[in-house]
Amino acid sequence: AQTVTQSQPEMSVQEAETVTLSCTYDTSESNYYLFWYKQPPSRQMILVIRQEAYKQQNATENRFSVNFQKAAKSFSLKISDSQLGDTAMYFCAFMNTGNQFYFGTGTSLTVIP
Amino acid sequence: DAMVIQNPRYQVTQFGKPVTLSCSQTLNHNVMYWYQQKSSQAPKLLFHYYDKDFNNEADTPDNFQSRRPNTSFCFLDIRSPGLGDAAMYLCATSIPDGSGYTFGSGTRLTVV
């Protein structure tokens, strides 16, 4: 079974600073997908960034980037130039080729003005 | 343009009174999911439909049922809500191409 671990239940960052959220996972599969989802206080889950395991290049989306270390089974999210609107719960998720999704327990990020 | 729409946004029901939550999608995705999310926790999968094929998670209580009359709509029926069923219920859709899930904005259920 796949497991996803987010070891930081809560984090905070000063506005305009950079923060990194960690995520590790466990799987025996070689091909899979990894995601970071953001859930603001309004509660809609929004896709932030996606990584395909067979791609070595780290995904980036504007201020969001990942550090994907396949051998270490690590998938961290870096948020640059943090903004107040980045305050949210962030979930790391693993999806296998059977389309099954596994969420981490989430990291609550607060951006401090 | 909302692509996964959940109604209502907030639902209050009485203890033991059946309640139905609805989800519709404009994406034509063949897979639809229902998740239960309690405060500050990860969403927990209740069941999903792959087209018309229903897949129940082993630990989903019998109190929870689902219907999917067509590709666009999916319903969550709670036959006899208890206080422990108060939660956010999230609907999501996907296609099996690795692109991930698209979530609705959720229905927050309160049981009184």
Side-chain angles (χ1 to χ4, degrees), chain A residues 39 43 89 91 105, chain B residues 36-43 86-88 108:
Chain A
Q39 193 176 36
R43 306 289 291 213
M89 183 74 85
F91 290 100
T105 50
Chain B
Q36 180 192 65
Q37 186 181 28
K38 297 195 175 180
S39 183
S40 301
Q41 294 182 22
M88 176 72 81
R108 180 171 295 283

Side-chain angles (χ1 to χ4, degrees), chain A residues 51-104:
Chain A
Q51 176 80 43
E52 298 167 16
Y54 60 86
K55 288 188 176 179
Q56 291 187 335
Q57 187 173 5
N58 289 323
T60 62
E61 286 288 341
N62 301 312
R63 297 183 295 109
F64 298 89
S65 61
V66 299
N67 184 5
F68 174 47
Q69 301 290 328
K70 190 172 185 178
K73 296 180 182 174
S74 170
F75 183 60
S76 61
L77 174 69
K78 185 172 82 171
I79 305 174
S80 304
D81 185 25
S82 297
Q83 300 175 1
L84 296 179
D86 295 335
T87 292
M89 183 74 85
Y90 287 81
F91 290 100
C92 178
F94 170 101
M95 187 169 80
N96 61 20
T97 52
N99 218 44
Q100 291 175 303
F101 229 59
Y102 300 87
F103 282 102

Side-chain angles (χ1 to χ4, degrees), chain B residues 47-98:
Chain B
F47 24 60
H48 74 277
Y49 279 91
Y50 196 117
D51 294 320
K52 291 190 174 185
D53 293 334
F54 176 71
N55 298 274
N56 199 32
E57 293 300 297
D59 57 354
T60 298
D62 292 339
N63 196 26
F64 291 85
Q65 304 286 322
S66 184
R67 297 169 283 136
R68 189 180 185 186
N70 53 51
T71 301
S72 301
F73 286 88
C74 196
F75 300 97
L76 170 61
D77 301 308
I78 308 176
R79 293 192 296 189
S80 182
L83 298 178
D85 296 329
M88 176 72 81
Y89 289 87
L90 299 173
C91 175
T93 70
S94 78
I95 50 176
D97 66 347

